[in-house]
Amino acid sequence: QILSCVLRTKKQLQISFELLNFETKVKVDPESRLEKPIGYRLMCRFWTYDVFYHPAIIRGKYEYLMRMDDDSYFMDHIKMDIFNYTYNAKLDYIYRCVYYESIAPMVSIVHRLLNKTNLQNGCIYNNFFVIRLKWFYESKQVQTFVRELIRDDFMLRQYIGDGCAHAAMLEIDKQVKAQFLTNISYGHNFHLMPSGHVFWAFRAETKFYEEIKNACHQLTVLRNCCRRLVYICVIIYLLF
């Protein structure tokens, strides 16, 4: 999609691709959620911890990181510059939607850090999010939490969704400045989130492809970002 946008609009974009090592000898716990294969668990760990220490991120000295999966798209014009908005509002984290799933494997960690066994607002639908990297690196509460998740490959042996891990990060750090944005029309695969809608809605396959037809135009809405606010699009292809 990105390359087709460049060819159609004759715009110049600086794009780089980085290799990710998704190999491991870790064996999953047979009593964990076996429908979540090791490749998916590695992806969850990547977006919870590994991405922040990837050489490309460290080397770039970026201020913000934005996730946009290869099957994600904006369904309409975005009237604001997402990075300028995040910067001007002094936000540490923005997200578009929430969802719910079990956090059973990390309940003991959550209870120890929050003195409760559930997350107040469920899990973050984090196929799209923007995070201020300095907050992640310097928050003692967040660092304590994520290191608990990766210790002894806990996050791989057990299944812990990265969206639930992100939601816990926001609750554990009481000083975080996060915002739930509902004024962005966003879609991920067949899950559509029109502007103003809090939860995602499933649409038939034909509707998905109708939205994809406009993806080129919609993926260029961030072309006027300031130089100091860097847009990173990491595309991951997982083989399950």
Side-chain angles (χ1 to χ4, degrees):
Q1 290 180 9
I2 296 176
L3 293 179
S4 67
C5 292
V6 175
L7 294 175
R8 290 184 186 180
T9 62
K10 297 182 180 179
K11 299 291 184 180
Q12 291 187 352
L13 296 176
Q14 184 176 351
I15 302 173
S16 62
F17 294 88
E18 298 285 341
L19 291 176
L20 303 179
N21 182 7
F22 270 21
E23 296 180 354
T24 182
K25 295 182 179 179
V26 175
K27 302 297 183 182
V28 302
D29 187 325
E31 296 185 1
S32 66
R33 293 179 58 181
L34 298 181
E35 76 275 14
K36 302 295 184 180
I38 191 64
Y40 192 86
R41 298 178 190 217
L42 282 163
M43 180 277 294
C44 291
R45 190 184 71 176
F46 178 81
W47 285 113
T48 301
Y49 183 84
D50 297 342
V51 65
F52 301 105
Y53 299 99
H54 190 280
I57 303 302
I58 301 299
R59 184 171 62 245
K61 298 180 180 179
Y62 301 115
E63 293 184 55
Y64 298 92
L65 181 145
M66 171 176 155
R67 176 179 178 179
M68 193 76 171
D69 281 12
D70 64 316
D71 56 348
S72 293
Y73 48 94
F74 295 120
M75 296 159 53
D76 201 349
H77 289 285
I78 298 179
K79 297 181 180 180
M80 64 179 179
D81 181 309
I82 294 177
F83 293 103
N84 275 336
Y85 177 83
T86 306
Y87 174 76
N88 292 331
K90 295 180 171 56
L91 296 172
D92 300 310
Y93 193 103
I94 65 172
Y95 59 102
R96 177 59 187 84
C97 191
V98 295
Y99 74 101
Y100 296 91
E101 73 171 319
S102 172
I103 64 166
M106 67 174 184
V107 162
S108 61
I109 301 174
V110 170
H111 183 266
R112 186 164 64 253
L113 297 176
L114 285 174
N115 197 30
K116 61 179 184 178
T117 58
N118 65 310
L119 298 176
Q120 181 177 349
N121 299 313
C123 302
I124 292 174
Y125 196 118
N126 70 330
N127 299 86
F128 163 75
F129 69 87
V130 178
I131 188 171
R132 188 171 70 90
L133 291 171
K134 191 174 182 180
W135 168 72
F136 177 87
Y137 296 134
E138 296 186 356
S139 171
K140 294 181 180 179
Q141 298 93 329
V142 169
Q143 287 298 310
T144 297
F145 171 67
V146 295
R147 291 180 189 280
E148 287 274 356
L149 293 183
I150 67 169
R151 181 179 299 164
D152 298 325
D153 295 310
F154 178 71
M155 199 170 181
L156 298 183
R157 291 185 290 104
Q158 301 292 329
Y159 166 71
I160 297 174
D162 51 312
C164 298
H166 278 225
M169 286 162 47
L170 299 186
E171 288 197 37
I172 287 169
D173 187 342
K174 302 299 183 182
Q175 303 302 316
V176 66
K177 295 181 179 179
Q179 191 168 108
F180 182 178
L181 291 181
T182 60
N183 61 341
I184 295 177
S185 295
Y186 166 74
H188 173 240
N189 208 307
F190 301 119
H191 295 170
L192 304 184
M193 304 159 215
S195 179
H197 288 229
V198 176
F199 298 102
W200 59 266
F202 181 83
R203 293 291 183 272
E205 181 177 354
T206 54
K207 180 65 176 177
F208 171 67
Y209 285 109
E210 288 174 8
E211 299 292 348
I212 282 294
K213 290 179 182 178
N214 295 321
C216 175
H217 176 67
Q218 291 152 5
L219 281 173
T220 61
V221 296
L222 296 177
R223 62 183 180 275
N224 293 322
C225 291
C226 297
R227 290 183 179 179
R228 66 190 303 276
L229 303 176
V230 180
Y231 168 41
I232 304 171
C233 182
V234 181
I235 301 178
I236 300 177
Y237 294 93
L238 297 179
L239 297 177
F240 298 111

